[in-house]
Amino acid sequence: MTKRLAACQIFLVMVFLFTAAFAAAAAAEDEGASMRVEADDYNLDAATGVATGTGNVKIVYQGLVLEADSLTVNLKTKDVEAAGNVFLYSLEEPGIEIAKGHDFYWKGQSVKGNFNTRRFQVGASRGKLDEWYTVSKTGDFDPNGDVILTRVGVSTCEYLIDGHAHYRIEAKEVRYNSQTERFTAKHAVYKIGDVPVFYWPWIAWDTTNTSAGGIRFQAGHNSDWGAFLLMSRKWRINDLLQTEVDVDLMSQRGVGLGNETRLDTDRSASTLRLYYLADQDPPENDIEDGMNRRFDVESQRYRVHLSHMSEWVKGLTLRGNVDVLSDIDMLEEWFSDDFRTVRQPTSFADLRYEHELFTMSLTAKFRVNDFYTVSEKLPELRLDTPRRQVFGLPVYHQSETSLAFLRMNMRDFDVDNAVEAAFLAVRLPTYAGFFNDRNAYETFRFDTAHMVYAPFSLADVQIVPRGGVRLTYYDKTSARDVTDDELRLMFSFDDPDVTVPANNAVFYDDDGGSAWRFAGELGLEVSTKFTGVWENAENDLLDIDGLRHIVQPYLNYTYISDPNEERESLMYFDEIDRLREENFVRLGVNQRLQTRAGEKGAQRIRTLASWENYLDTHLGPAEARSRAGDFGSRLSFNPRDEMSFWGTALASMRTGRVRWFELGATLGRKDVLAFHLSWLARDDEQPLPLYSFGSTLDDVSGANMTSVDLGNSHLLKLGVDFRINDLTSGSAYYVYDVREGELERQVYQINRDLHCWTGSIYASEKDDDFTVGVALQLKAFPGVRISSGL
C-alpha cells in the first residue's frame, strides 16, 4: 500500500511539472507569435514579454534558428541578444530573406539583432554563404538579404573554418546579397596557404555561375620562356558581362598582360580578347639578324580580337570578327589552341537574312595583318535559293548568285626587295617584274549558277537527273596565262618559310580585259538501299541488342562542258575560277551497322559502325588526269564507350600510290586505363580535286587547288590515360616520326586531388623545346580548367 501511494505521488508530481512546462512553452509560443524558445533554464516576464534562457538555448522563428549558451529575447518586439557558442542558420523554409534558398550558417560568440527586421550584428565569427566559407572580425546581416563582413577571409575550402584553407581570399570588406547571389570584396589578397599571390583593389563574382569565378595558377620552366608563373582571375560583372584578367611572368620573355571579356544577351554574343607582351627574346632567324623568317623582328607583341554575333529580328543576323596581330608567329606562339583550329584567323563582317524561300547576305572579308595573304571580298552580295518544287511539277530548282569585288592581297614581306630581286633575277628570267606587282591582284566578279532536278523512282531505285548552267563575268583578266602548277608555285613563293624558290614563277597581270565565261553541267545520281535485320543478335562485349545493316550503293555521273574562257587567264580566288571540263563517274557505297541502346521503353538507335568507299573514273579527256581517278575510304567503328576505331584512306589509282592513310583506336576508360593509338602516312603528291556545282562530292583529303604541300609524313602516336588511386591519375603522350627515326614529341602529366584543388605536374619535349611545370585548378569551379598547355 505504501509503495502504491509513493508511486501515485511521483506520477502526480511528474504530471504537474510536465503541465507547467507545457503551459510555459505554450505561453511563450502564443506570446511570441509562433516563436519557439527552448532552454534548460527558461524565464518569461509576461508583462514585458522578455524571456531569458541559459543552457542549450534554441529559438526557431520563420525559418531561422538561433542556438546559444544564453540569450535574452523580447517575444513582442523580437529583439534578441545571445552569447556563447552562438549558431545562427537557415531551415530554408518559405519566407526566408537571409540566404534565401541556399546554405547559410554563422557561428560566433555573440549576436544582437531582431527576428522581424532580419537584421543582426555579430562579432568575430565563422560562417557559410552558398558554397563559400567565411571567417570575419565583424558581421552585419540586414533586412535586404545583404551580409557585410569586415576583416574577412573567404574560401570554397571548408578547412578555412579550422584555419588551414588551401587557398583563400582575404579582404577588408566582403558583401554578399542573397537575392542576387553575388559577392563583392574590397582590397582583396589571394593566398595559397599563407603565401600572398596577387592583389586586387575590388573584385566581384556570382555564385550562380561558378565558372565565372575561376582562379588559375601555372608555374614551371620552359626552354623558350625560362621560369614562368601564369595567373588569371575570372569573374562575373553582372548577368550579362564577365571578364578574365591574365598576368604571365616569364624570366626570358618578360611580363604578358591579357584580358578576355564576354557580353552575352538574349540576342547577341560578343567577345573581346586583348594580350600584350614586351618580348625580351622574340623569334629571330638563325642566319640573318633582325629578321624572323622574311619579316622584321617584332618585340612589341600583341593581339586584339573582337568577335560579335547578334540577331536583329527573326532571321536577320550580323556576324563579325576582327583579329589584329603584331606578327606572323603571335597566334602560334601564344594562342596555340586557336592556332590548331585556325592557322590564319579571318577578319570579316556578314549581314545575313535567312528565309524559307531564300538566303541573302552582304559580306566583307578584309585583311588587317599585312603578313597574311587574304582573298578579300570588298564586299560580296549573295543570294541563295534552296531546292524547291517548280509550280507543282516534278521538277526542282536551286540557285546561287553573287556580286563581289575580289582582291587577292598577298602578304607584304619585310625583306629588302632590291636585294632579293637581284638574287632572284637569275632564278626568274621570265619575269623580272616579280616584286613590282606580286602583292595583289583584283577583279569584279558576277557569278550565277542554276540547277534543275527531276527526281523519280523505279521500284526501290532513286534516280535524280540534273542539269544547269554557270555564268560568270570578270571585269579584269590576265593576258599572261597561269597553269595549275604555276598557280601552286605562286603560292609557294608566298610561303614565308620558302626563301629560295626552286623553279621559275609566273604571276597574273591585268591586261586581259573583261570576260564572260559560260559552262553547263549535266548529271545523274542513282541510289538505292538494302536492309538486313537480325532481331535476336546479342553480344555483351560489343553492347549489341539486335542488328540492322543498311547498304546504300550510289552512282554520281557528272559532265561539265569545256568553258568558253580558259581558266588560265582568269584570276584565282576560289574553285569557281578554275572551272574546267569534267566527265567522270563516281561509284560509291555507304554502309551503316545499327543496334538498339538504352532500357526497354526508352530505347534509341545507335550506329555501331559506318563505312563509305568511293572510286572515281574519268570517261573523257581531261588535262593532267588519267581515266583512273582516286579511291577514297572512311571508316568508324564504335562498339561501346570504352572502344572506338576509325580510319581514312585516299589512293591515286593513276599512280597506284596511297596519298593519305590514317588508322586510329581508343581502348579503355579514361578514368581507369585508356590507350589512344593512331598511324598517319601521307605523301606529297599534289591533289587534283573534282568539282561539281550541282551535287555534293565527298573528299576525304579536304584539299583544294592551292593546298599547302605538307610533304611526306609518317607518324605513330600513342597516348595513355591511367588511374593510380582514388586521388591520383596520370597520362603520357608520344609522337614518333618514322621517316626521321626519332621521337618528335613526348608529354607526361600526373594529376592529384588536393581536396580544394586539383594539382598537376607535367613535363614535355617537342622540337628540342623542353617544359616542366605545375598547374592548379580550383575544384569549386568545374567550368574552369587549369591546363598545362600540352
Side-chain angles (χ1 to χ4, degrees), residues 24 27 65 151 216 223 258 290 300 326 466 526 610 662 737 742:
V65 180
R151 301 288 297 275
R216 181 185 69 188
S223 302
Q300 303 303 310
S326 59
R466 68 179 186 273
V526 180
S610 64
E662 284 187 274
D737 191 325
E742 63 182 17

Side-chain angles (χ1 to χ4, degrees), residues 183-225:
F183 280 91
T184 60
K186 295 180 180 179
H187 301 292
V189 177
Y190 288 80
K191 290 186 175 182
I192 297 180
D194 293 323
V195 179
V197 179
F198 52 84
Y199 161 84
W200 294 104
W202 181 87
I203 60 173
W205 66 98
D206 187 340
T207 61
T208 61
N209 185 354
T210 56
S211 66
I215 304 171
R216 181 185 69 188
F217 301 99
Q218 188 175 336
H221 187 276
N222 176 271
S223 302
D224 191 31
W225 294 0

Side-chain angles (χ1 to χ4, degrees), residues 700-716:
V700 298
S701 72
N704 61 28
M705 182 63 64
T706 59
S707 294
V708 176
D709 181 6
L710 299 175
N712 290 327
S713 298
H714 195 171
L715 303 176
L716 294 176

Side-chain angles (χ1 to χ4, degrees), residues 438-491:
R438 73 179 176 93
N439 288 333
Y441 56 84
E442 61 188 30
T443 186
F444 169 80
R445 186 180 76 185
F446 165 76
D447 178 70
T448 184
H450 296 261
M451 293 297 302
V452 175
Y453 305 83
F456 63 94
S457 300
L458 290 178
D460 293 328
V461 179
Q462 306 298 316
I463 303 173
V464 185
R466 68 179 186 273
V469 297
R470 169 156 248 136
L471 181 65
T472 310
Y473 169 77
Y474 300 84
D475 80 325
K476 294 179 182 178
T477 61
S478 175
R480 183 186 304 112
D481 289 344
V482 177
T483 66
D484 290 349
D485 289 339
E486 290 168 338
L487 180 63
R488 294 189 184 95
L489 187 58
M490 181 194 305
F491 282 93

